[in-house]
Amino acid sequence: KPANCLDWYTAFAFCAWDGARLPTEAEWNYAASGGSEQRYFPWSRPPTSTTVDDSYAVYCGGTCSVQNVGSRSPRGDGRWGQSDLGGNAWEWTLDYAAGPHPMPCQDCAVVTAGTYRIFRGGSNDDVVGTLRAADRHVYAPEYRGVIGARCARSPL
């Protein structure tokens, strides 16, 4: 099952303990949208496809619980094989929600200002719209909901 009910601080510490880090929102968005493909959902093939049902993602508006990571794989996988980029559990990112994305984007993480942190991906407790690659939400970093962590690692 995905780790969930983590506040931002616990997610940050877990990734550090695991030898990794929380992804920036830009990195998370790049993975979920399939990079230059700009996918509507992480699994959209072709990228503009809006096809979704519970064979792609764990979501049900509060009528089901989180399920094993990858339980919708490979059908719901992202471009590079990542499971559960949409549904199952929200995922914290490194960034503060301090306005629009910095443009042009160079070292795009927003780590120095703000009150709220960004989480992405939708959860089992949500509706289809929250599973879109572009959907983003913010909350106080102390919040513990159906939010977990996807740790990022730099290439070796």
Side-chain angles (χ1 to χ4, degrees):
K1 306 266 189 269
N4 68 45
C5 301
L6 302 178
D7 62 46
W8 183 90
Y9 302 104
T10 303
F12 181 91
F14 172 78
C15 288
W17 170 84
D18 197 39
R21 59 183 171 74
L22 285 174
T24 67
E25 185 184 23
E27 290 171 322
W28 196 101
N29 188 67
Y30 188 83
S33 64
S36 61
E37 291 184 358
Q38 292 299 293
R39 293 178 174 196
Y40 189 83
F41 291 114
W43 55 82
S44 292
R45 290 177 204 88
T48 56
S49 173
T50 57
T51 301
V52 62
D53 60 42
D54 68 359
S55 69
Y56 291 94
V58 178
Y59 74 98
C60 54
T63 61
C64 65
S65 58
V66 294
Q67 297 181 19
N68 289 337
V69 172
S71 64
R72 302 301 190 265
S73 186
R75 189 167 186 155
D77 290 352
R79 179 178 178 183
W80 295 284
Q82 314 94 322
S83 297
D84 300 331
L85 282 168
N88 221 8
W90 289 97
E91 299 173 4
W92 287 111
T93 67
L94 183 64
D95 299 61
Y96 281 105
H101 296 289
M103 294 305 274
C105 182
Q106 184 174 13
D107 296 328
C108 296
V110 179
V111 296
T112 58
T115 303
Y116 299 107
R117 295 286 185 163
I118 298 168
F119 54 97
R120 304 286 300 264
S123 77
N124 66 298
D125 196 29
D126 286 305
V127 295
V128 171
T130 62
L131 307 178
R132 293 179 314 120
D135 196 55
R136 73 195 296 239
H137 289 262
V138 302
Y139 222 99
E142 298 83 12
Y143 178 69
R144 294 175 182 264
V146 186
I147 308 176
R150 178 181 301 264
C151 301
R153 290 175 172 73
S154 298
L156 298 174

